[in-house]
Amino acid sequence: MIKDSNYKRFKKQMKSKITVKQARLIVFIIILPVAFVLFSKILAYVNKDSVTAQQFVDLQQGDSNFPSFRRAHAKGICLAGIFESNGALGQYSTASVLQAGEFNFIGRFSIAGNSPTAPDLKAPVRGLALSIKDESSTNSEWRIAMNTPPVMAVATPEAFYAQLQALAPDPDTKQRDPSKIEAFFANHPESKTFLEWKDGYTPASSLAGETYHSINAFYLLDEAHNEQAVRWQAVPSLESSIIPQLNQENPDALQDQLAQMLEVAPIKFDLVFTLALPEDDETNPTVLWPSTRETITAGTISIQQYTAQTVGECANINFDPLVLPKGVEATADPILRARGSVYAESFRRRALEALLGENE
Amino acid sequence: MNKRKAIKYYPARSRLLHWSMAILIISMLLVGLSMVESLAVWQPVALDLHRSFGFLLLVMVIVRLINKYLTPRPRLPKKLPAYQVLAAKITHTALYAAMLLMPLSGWLMQSADGRTITVFNTFNLPHLIDANIKAYAFFREFHGYMAWLLIIMIVMHVLAALYHGLIRQDRVLTSMLYSKKPK
């Protein structure tokens, strides 16, 4: 009896000891895979239905292969000049480049598309990007990326991705599919304002004659951190300039014309800000604010020099519109907030190509 | 040597540095890998916090290295096979190198893109180098690959710690968990 119970106890002890040891081993083996699966499930859940910056840039570059060039607005020309700030926005923002003074900028005129050799006159959208700096103060740089449309067709990065997909030419036929495009806009009634603008838009006969828009809204912040939502546009002031004739056959018609004009005189734009009222939605880039809103001209952009983008300083700048000076902040506009990581991905790809000398 | 022998547990300040940095670094890796893909509205906020915490971690790793130099620490068990001692040394050295190089390469890539880092909305960091697209490419890729190296090192570190705690059941894991008065 005694022997038997001792044996049973011994057996029980052995059994439980092995089980504990096995349990420890099992925990050791499975803990990392379990943690990994858990994390990836959480990440997949957080990012479900969402498009990544990489997918976006893949779509923009398509099958065009131009190492070390931008994936979107690949064709452009570098600019340099002075922003003559009149200080009129100084009461709304502490940004040093909005106080009265003269500030150097590097800029870039561009046309939409993924080819740096595309014909100038075929592109549906033109852009003007600026990097304005107050050399005497840190954290003063303002990077601005403006385009000819005043609004977006859609309000979220996912819808914009779907729009680019609908507009992309068929990989086999190289043709756009009008039925796809029509279906997309029919499914997106918020594109109404954009389509109205598109129908009424005639490209200007010069890059210097276009109006370029911030599209997204930003906040100006004053000393007391009061927020004023604004949009802005670069409005051409061409009164004294004579615009040379465009050569329709020349793929670089706009760039060559610009060069001719800059040999005569600087090209100027007024930087005009529109101030939102509290009832205006600053987070929706598809909606224009009423035309009765107050506007304030912050100063004049005076473009004085140009350089080919293969050698110019603008090639090294990522015109990410989220690089803002102290005194200007991003709104919660989902398109605006998505721009940073897409621009960063495009910049990362072409920077690596430049480092590896793939363009040479 | 005698001094080190006497110590069986890490002192509280070492454990505090270890665990607070562990939480921050793992969060930074998760946020970092997510934000370079994400188009969500929180992305710019995450980016801003990533930069601020990156600077905080640079300060912390310097404090930690000074603390490591000044503080006695428990020795590895005598019976540990030589290859495991070597693996521990390599992993620890790589972890310290990565903890220093991650924030430095992040700061350098921001400078190379001409961006100013503002730490927790309070002060600006100086630019370490002038804006330069090739330097940006180098430090951007370095930062990315270093992140994966750091993840591999953390996995090895965690596996080794669990091996000590669960399989070998020696004092290696517990020496970083709590401290007991020597009996």
Side-chain angles (χ1 to χ4, degrees):
Chain A
M1 274 301 275
I2 294 161
K3 225 179 173 181
D4 194 35
S5 80
N6 268 351
Y7 174 71
K8 267 184 184 162
R9 201 186 296 150
F10 173 73
K11 217 178 136 186
K12 208 177 166 186
Q13 271 181 355
M14 278 307 287
K15 205 177 164 190
S16 70
K17 212 166 197 173
I18 289 165
T19 316
V20 169
K21 207 175 167 189
Q22 280 175 338
R24 285 169 180 274
L25 188 65
I26 290 165
V27 169
F28 175 67
I29 290 167
I30 67 165
I31 195 157
L32 269 174
V34 166
F36 178 78
V37 169
L38 213 68
F39 271 130
S40 42
K41 289 274 179 216
I42 293 170
L43 280 181
Y45 180 77
V46 170
N47 294 326
K48 75 172 175 355
D49 313 324
S50 62
V51 178
T52 66
Q54 288 67 31
Q55 286 174 295
F56 228 102
V57 177
D58 286 345
L59 185 62
Q60 287 175 325
Q61 77 183 33
D63 52 11
S64 93
N65 180 25
F66 297 99
S68 87
F69 285 95
R70 276 163 231 263
R71 272 29 182 193
H73 286 241
K75 190 176 184 188
I77 185 165
C78 291
L79 311 169
I82 292 169
F83 174 53
E84 297 149 4
S85 173
N86 60 24
L89 279 174
Q91 58 166 314
Y92 291 100
S93 171
T94 55
S96 50
V97 300
L98 289 178
Q99 316 309 312
E102 296 199 339
F103 306 101
N104 291 334
F105 69 78
I106 301 291
R108 185 172 181 265
F109 274 127
S110 64
I111 57 165
N114 56 18
S115 164
T117 56
D120 277 351
L121 299 175
K122 290 272 159 64
V125 170
R126 296 167 181 174
L128 171 59
L130 301 170
S131 155
I132 309 174
K133 247 189 229 177
D134 174 8
E135 305 291 347
S136 67
S137 104
T138 52
N139 210 11
S140 70
E141 187 188 5
W142 192 346
R143 297 189 194 171
I144 294 172
M146 297 175 285
N147 283 329
T148 39
V151 287
M152 296 284 303
V154 290
T156 66
E158 288 75 24
F160 188 39
Y161 185 76
Q163 182 189 346
L164 291 183
Q165 279 180 315
L167 291 173
D170 184 282
D172 298 325
T173 63
K174 309 277 175 210
Q175 295 294 316
R176 283 180 166 185
D177 181 348
S179 64
K180 250 167 98 178
I181 298 173
E182 210 170 296
F184 175 84
F185 286 116
N187 275 329
H188 289 273
E190 72 272 28
S191 58
K192 186 171 167 274
T193 311
F194 175 81
L195 293 174
E196 279 168 11
W197 168 82
K198 199 167 157 263
D199 288 342
Y201 168 75
T202 318
S205 59
S206 161
L207 290 168
E210 293 281 5
T211 301
Y212 300 89
H213 301 85
S214 71
I215 303 175
N216 306 110
F218 294 78
Y219 294 119
L220 299 182
L221 278 89
D222 66 12
E223 208 72 62
H225 287 267
N226 294 312
E227 282 176 355
Q228 170 62 55
V230 293
R231 276 171 163 157
W232 62 82
Q233 45 189 357
V235 180
S237 51
L238 271 178
E239 66 282 3
S240 58
S241 311
I242 299 147
I243 303 178
Q245 197 68 37
L246 276 176
N247 175 359
Q248 299 290 329
E249 306 300 311
N250 179 2
D252 301 325
L254 290 170
Q255 293 198 2
D256 289 349
Q257 181 201 48
L258 186 84
Q260 276 183 294
M261 289 170 75
L262 280 174
E263 271 160 31
V264 181
I267 290 170
K268 294 191 175 184
F269 290 87
D270 287 332
L271 203 58
V272 181
F273 283 69
T274 304
L275 278 60
L277 287 180
E279 62 261 37
D280 298 329
D281 186 358
E282 71 271 27
T283 65
N284 188 339
T286 67
V287 177
L288 273 183
W289 301 334
S291 56
T292 50
R293 293 290 174 264
E294 184 188 357
T295 61
I296 296 176
T297 301
T300 304
I301 298 159
S302 175
I303 300 167
Q304 303 182 323
Q305 291 167 29
Y306 72 93
T307 324
Q309 68 165 343
T310 45
V311 288
E313 223 181 307
C314 79
N316 301 334
I317 300 177
N318 167 13
F319 289 101
D320 172 0
L322 294 173
V323 176
L324 299 165
K326 197 177 181 317
V328 184
E329 281 182 5
T331 58
D333 175 348
I335 295 275
L336 175 62
R337 284 176 174 242
R339 283 171 84 175
S341 56
V342 175
Y343 280 59
E345 177 63 20
S346 166
F347 189 56
R348 180 185 184 179
R349 290 184 191 186
R350 67 190 183 91
L352 183 59
E353 289 155 359
L355 178 68
L356 300 177
E358 282 179 24
N359 56 329
E360 281 144 29
Chain B
M1 264 329 232
N2 284 336
K3 210 175 153 195
R4 277 184 69 173
K5 222 175 189 174
I7 285 183
K8 289 185 173 139
Y9 299 94
Y10 281 94
R13 59 174 185 279
S14 301
R15 279 179 283 130
L16 182 69
L17 274 168
H18 172 271
W19 288 107
S20 55
M21 286 182 73
I23 293 164
L24 285 178
I25 287 169
I26 291 167
S27 312
M28 287 287 275
L29 287 165
L30 288 173
V31 169
L33 292 173
S34 309
M35 76 188 188
V36 296
E37 289 189 358
S38 177
L39 305 180
V41 285
W42 52 259
Q43 197 272 353
V45 181
L47 189 61
D48 214 38
L49 286 173
H50 188 86
R51 293 185 183 115
S52 296
F53 276 104
F55 181 71
L56 178 67
L57 278 164
L58 179 62
V59 174
M60 285 174 90
V61 75
I62 292 167
V63 171
R64 189 160 167 189
L65 283 166
I66 295 167
N67 180 61
K68 183 181 164 68
Y69 180 75
L70 296 176
T71 311
R73 57 184 184 280
R75 301 173 71 185
L76 286 171
K78 280 199 183 105
K79 281 182 194 157
L80 207 62
Y83 80 90
Q84 288 188 18
V85 176
L86 182 69
K89 273 202 176 132
I90 291 171
T91 316
H92 286 151
T93 309
L95 278 168
Y96 277 106
M99 282 190 282
L100 263 177
L101 293 173
M102 280 305 284
L104 278 176
S105 58
W107 188 353
L108 282 160
M109 71 178 250
Q110 293 300 303
S111 298
D113 187 13
R115 293 175 192 240
T116 304
I117 298 172
T118 305
V119 179
F120 297 115
N121 272 324
T122 46
F123 61 95
N124 295 327
L125 298 183
H127 289 196
L128 294 176
I129 51 172
D130 287 338
N132 178 313
I133 192 167
K134 290 182 182 177
Y136 174 81
F138 178 80
F139 291 116
R140 173 64 187 84
E141 299 305 324
F142 185 92
H143 197 67
Y145 285 115
M146 203 61 174
W148 285 106
L149 181 75
L150 181 52
I151 289 169
I152 293 167
M153 289 302 128
I154 290 171
V155 167
M156 286 181 58
H157 182 71
V158 172
L159 276 180
L162 291 173
Y163 171 72
H164 283 284
L166 292 170
I167 310 294
R168 280 185 61 99
Q169 296 180 39
D170 56 22
R171 272 212 190 82
V172 173
L173 177 61
T174 49
S175 68
M176 193 45 101
L177 289 177
Y178 48 79
S179 79
K180 270 191 252 172
K181 292 251 163 68
K183 278 173 192 167

